[in-house]
Amino acid sequence: MARASKNFLLCARPSIYHRTVPEAMSQADAAVDHETVYRLLYEERWTELLDLVHRHRDAVAENALLSHAVDVFEETFFERLPEEDPAAMLPKLEKLFLLHAGGYHALRDDHFEAAVEHLVSLHADRPQSAVGYARHCPENAVCADVLQRHDLRRPVKHSMDDRIRLDETHAEAGVDRTKSLFRSRQEEAFFMAVREVFASYFAYPNVALSSLLDFERLKDDLTAAERQYFFRGMVDCVVFDQQDGYRPCYFFELDSPHHDTDPRREKDAMKDRVLALAGRTLYRIRVKDRRVGRKEFARLLKEIVR
């Protein structure tokens, strides 16, 4: 529909011009009609039209005249898109994209691709946002270029492609900057002993306090310092009972001479108190003989759980 379509709309639907737009919109809030859509379309009030489509999704789907009016709006919007100021169109395009993604109004395939392409271009200074849009139309030339330059993800083909999407990140070749989960051989030996003794449970090392305890039920009993520590503190090893909703049941700390410094003593005291207030016992283990290993740890743990 070209710019001259305004004259067509004006002649074809004279009845709607007996009302002002606010009057039309107030009536639309109660029961939207296709005349309201054409009125807003004539005045190029894109934002109001998008809001209308969002508010009246069911009415648009059930009313053929209204649905056709919205289709005319869509056609006009994308015909005019290249002529409009990009900055002014950005919020409207984003809203139109969300309406499509949320199932409020399904755009025609070519219109959806045009919307995505414009959004990618308009987010050129924010690569991650551009990538987020570009993933919806990876075959489009503009999107493909952005994905090639900025997207670390690559789709992986598999037997359930129609049901599950799988991506992998592109890793730097020949580089390995990982490290062990354990900070010492003693920690590893202790964890292996925990797995041996609690064979029918799940054990995990270095678990965040915030993953173990309910902050909302604790916060009123914590000091300001303890509240801050709550989201930084870790427990060396935790045993979970899968038969009880994977709740933590045993908590262990493997202390070393590093815990003898004043800052560590202060943090350890906060950890002790937080767990005590949560109704959980924390076992602190301090090795006195360097020859202690997995065997001795397992023996100790068996005595604890008797």
Side-chain angles (χ1 to χ4, degrees), residues 76-129:
T76 305
F77 181 90
F78 282 97
E79 283 186 357
R80 295 289 308 280
L81 186 58
E83 307 171 16
E84 299 293 334
D85 173 36
M89 295 304 284
L90 177 57
K92 301 174 181 65
L93 278 168
E94 288 178 331
K95 192 156 196 171
L96 199 56
F97 176 89
L98 291 174
L99 287 174
H100 176 90
Y104 289 90
H105 176 68
L107 294 172
R108 215 171 67 192
D109 289 348
D110 58 328
H111 288 164
F112 179 66
E113 182 174 348
V116 169
E117 182 176 324
H118 277 80
L119 285 167
V120 168
S121 299
L122 290 169
H123 285 85
D125 59 337
R126 287 171 284 176
Q128 292 311 308
S129 295

Side-chain angles (χ1 to χ4, degrees), residues 228-256:
Q228 291 183 359
Y229 176 75
F230 183 90
F231 293 99
R232 298 195 305 268
M234 310 277 288
V235 179
D236 285 347
C237 187
V238 182
V239 176
F240 294 81
D241 184 353
Q242 70 270 32
Q243 302 301 324
D244 186 27
Y246 290 87
R247 290 180 177 274
C249 51
Y250 291 98
F251 302 76
F252 300 102
E253 283 284 296
L254 190 61
D255 289 351
S256 68

